[in-house]
Amino acid sequence: MNLGAIKLGRTIPLSVLAATVAAGAPSAAAAFPSASPALCRGAEGYAAAFGGRRTFTLRPNELEAIKALLQSDPAVARAYRRLVAQADQALARTPGSVLDKRTMPISGDRHDYVSLAPYWWPDPANPRGPYVRRDGQVNPERETNRFDRTALGRMVDDTDRLALAYYYSGERKYADKAAALVRAWFLDPATAMNPNMNYAQAVPGRENGRAEGVLDTSGFIGVIDAVGLIGPSGALSADEVKALEGWFSRYVDWMRTSANGKAEAAAGNNHGMWYDAQIVRFALFARRNEIARRTVAAFPETRIAKQLDPSGALPHELTRTRSFHYSIFTLDAAYHVADSAACMGIDLYGAEVQGRSLRKATDHVAVYRGRQAEWPYKEMKWPAEALDDLLTRADAAWGPGAYPRAAAGEILLRYRNAAR
């Protein structure tokens, strides 16, 4: 059975989904009405339909339509001008690397990534003792140059914006700079990060690194698409792209075999969902299709059935001080898995198991748009923009017209505003 032929909005029983995964359908229409005929084809992504640009989340028909609006649509034009300004700032920055931090990893190898757990602080009652947790309150020490977190985030953001600026402007300087950032972080032996997160999200006095630290590399999902966008420029050579695939292949092995990686895979909250989002995308990019396919095959049982309830709520996230934020954050990860699954001809957007589905989970948060006072759980800072961004992605999956595309800013350069 070809899942690509099933209409969106219809839920697919787990037995049907499992049979299709087992059959190993090599390529089918992606699970988006707007994606056909621009098909995402396994490890090649959208390359064949996108002039050789090997992307997995960014879709050619969306970006090509947006490109045609750069001059005529005021909101798109504003977003583009802001993007170019940010890309120009990135041009002036020196490429960052894990060697920039002031902290020496306990391994003695500066190429190992080190970060601080976000919600852990010195204990006022015992300043020299182990750190204590304050859920939802980020310790600003995390973003200092003692650690790698800020440099990683800047590399991710700059690479992404430079690649988009290259695509929309055609100016080679942006592709060249994006390639330089990728080389410094992943490829140059003098500065490259080791493919592990052994010392990520450390807690002083408690742990030198935690499973939760695997989440720090979620931004690499966007880097992969950025590399695809600049592909036609030749700014990264074929050998360099091959070496980058090798880096991600080694990181996939670390995720699957290390203590921290295994513990993150077993997590029952947003961390487990983000583990799947990363390993599926990284495995596809590294051309290790079987790992990606096995993860997608298990996803309905390991994530949808266990992390969602029949109402669409995400119980593990509702106990947090930022419950609505984390509900959206978890769905963001699930959408990345579903995007990757679509590249393998599998529709996780339409999958349902035990009355649970991504569609129901999306509906559950969508009804609170503009009604934050009615949300019955704790939320320290209402994420209105994040919800609009999520619903824009949701409409690309289940629409057009299923959800409002009311997002503004940079997302207008990734998904068309259906109202325009």
Side-chain angles (χ1 to χ4, degrees):
M1 184 176 186
N2 183 346
L3 290 184
I6 297 176
K7 292 182 179 180
L8 268 294
R10 172 181 172 184
T11 53
I12 302 171
L14 180 60
S15 59
V16 174
L17 179 69
T20 305
V21 173
S27 64
F32 316 104
S34 61
S36 182
L39 302 182
C40 189
R41 299 183 181 276
E44 294 302 323
Y46 286 106
F50 205 7
R53 298 174 181 89
R54 188 183 168 212
T55 61
F56 297 90
T57 295
L58 297 174
R59 302 171 206 157
N61 58 321
E62 294 278 351
L63 268 64
E64 288 163 359
I66 294 166
K67 197 171 190 177
L69 298 173
L70 289 180
Q71 305 302 321
S72 61
D73 186 302
V76 172
R78 284 194 299 272
Y80 175 63
R81 288 194 297 271
R82 178 172 172 77
L83 171 73
V84 169
Q86 292 171 325
D88 287 342
Q89 292 172 355
L91 287 176
R93 281 194 279 269
T94 301
S97 79
V98 289
L99 268 65
D100 295 339
K101 62 179 171 289
R102 293 190 292 110
T103 298
M104 174 64 74
I106 62 169
S107 64
D109 186 347
R110 295 189 66 85
H111 294 267
D112 285 332
Y113 177 93
V114 178
S115 67
L116 180 70
Y119 302 141
W120 291 80
W121 296 69
D123 184 354
N126 184 15
R128 294 181 180 274
Y131 276 31
V132 294
R133 191 168 188 267
R134 303 180 191 172
D135 188 34
Q137 300 179 47
V138 177
N139 184 343
E141 183 184 8
R142 169 177 165 84
E143 303 300 336
T144 67
N145 63 2
R146 289 187 58 202
F147 305 103
D148 290 311
R149 178 67 185 86
T150 298
L152 183 150
R154 184 181 299 117
M155 182 277 297
V156 167
D157 290 344
D158 284 354
T159 303
D160 174 68
R161 289 166 179 159
L162 287 160
L164 278 173
Y166 166 70
Y167 172 76
Y168 285 120
S169 73
E171 293 193 45
R172 171 68 184 254
K173 63 183 180 180
Y174 296 123
D176 286 340
K177 186 66 174 190
L181 300 186
V182 169
R183 284 192 198 96
W185 197 271
F186 297 100
L187 301 177
D188 185 342
T191 59
M193 171 184 162
N194 289 333
N196 71 70
M197 297 298 274
N198 291 326
Y199 310 111
Q201 293 205 18
V203 180
R206 296 181 184 273
E207 297 170 286
N208 293 320
R210 303 186 306 152
E212 291 87 343
V214 178
L215 183 62
D216 283 13
T217 55
S218 60
F220 292 170
I221 291 173
V223 171
I224 286 172
D225 264 25
V227 168
L229 272 188
I230 67 171
S233 73
L236 284 171
S237 70
D239 286 344
E240 287 177 317
V241 174
K242 186 76 172 177
L244 188 62
E245 291 171 4
W247 191 98
F248 276 96
S249 183
R250 294 191 297 278
Y251 187 52
V252 165
D253 286 338
W254 179 88
M255 291 177 72
R256 297 174 66 218
T257 61
S258 67
N260 281 353
K262 289 179 178 179
E264 190 75 340
N269 63 354
N270 67 84
H271 283 270
M273 197 78 80
W274 276 107
Y275 176 94
D276 282 6
Q278 292 186 73
I279 201 164
V280 172
R281 187 64 57 83
F282 300 164
L284 277 179
F285 180 72
R287 303 183 186 279
R288 300 180 69 177
N289 293 14
E290 190 53 38
I291 292 172
R293 187 171 292 280
R294 286 200 301 268
T295 306
V296 166
F299 189 82
E301 285 287 3
T302 58
R303 305 301 180 198
I304 294 177
K306 293 182 178 179
Q307 292 187 231
L308 281 59
D309 72 17
S311 74
L314 293 149
H316 293 290
E317 313 307 327
L318 299 182
T319 60
R320 305 294 298 273
T321 59
R322 299 208 60 201
S323 59
F324 198 78
H325 159 80
Y326 275 106
S327 295
I328 293 173
F329 186 60
T330 306
L331 286 176
D332 187 21
Y335 287 9
H336 279 301
V337 180
D339 288 347
S340 297
C343 294
M344 294 178 277
I346 300 161
D347 183 5
L348 288 181
Y349 281 110
E352 181 176 299
V353 53
Q354 300 174 20
R356 298 158 166 85
S357 69
L358 297 184
R359 183 67 187 267
K360 286 184 178 180
T362 302
D363 289 344
H364 182 78
V365 296
V367 298
Y368 291 99
R369 183 174 182 269
R371 298 165 57 189
Q372 66 186 74
E374 298 176 33
W375 179 250
Y377 305 97
K378 184 175 291 187
E379 177 53 61
M380 296 173 64
K381 182 181 178 182
W382 190 256
E385 291 183 9
L387 177 58
D388 280 346
D389 286 355
L390 184 85
L391 296 182
T392 294
R393 290 186 68 186
D395 192 61
W398 287 289
Y403 299 95
R405 294 200 189 193
E410 196 169 294
I411 199 169
L412 293 178
L413 300 175
R414 303 172 191 276
Y415 297 92
R416 285 173 289 181
N417 189 323
R420 289 181 164 82

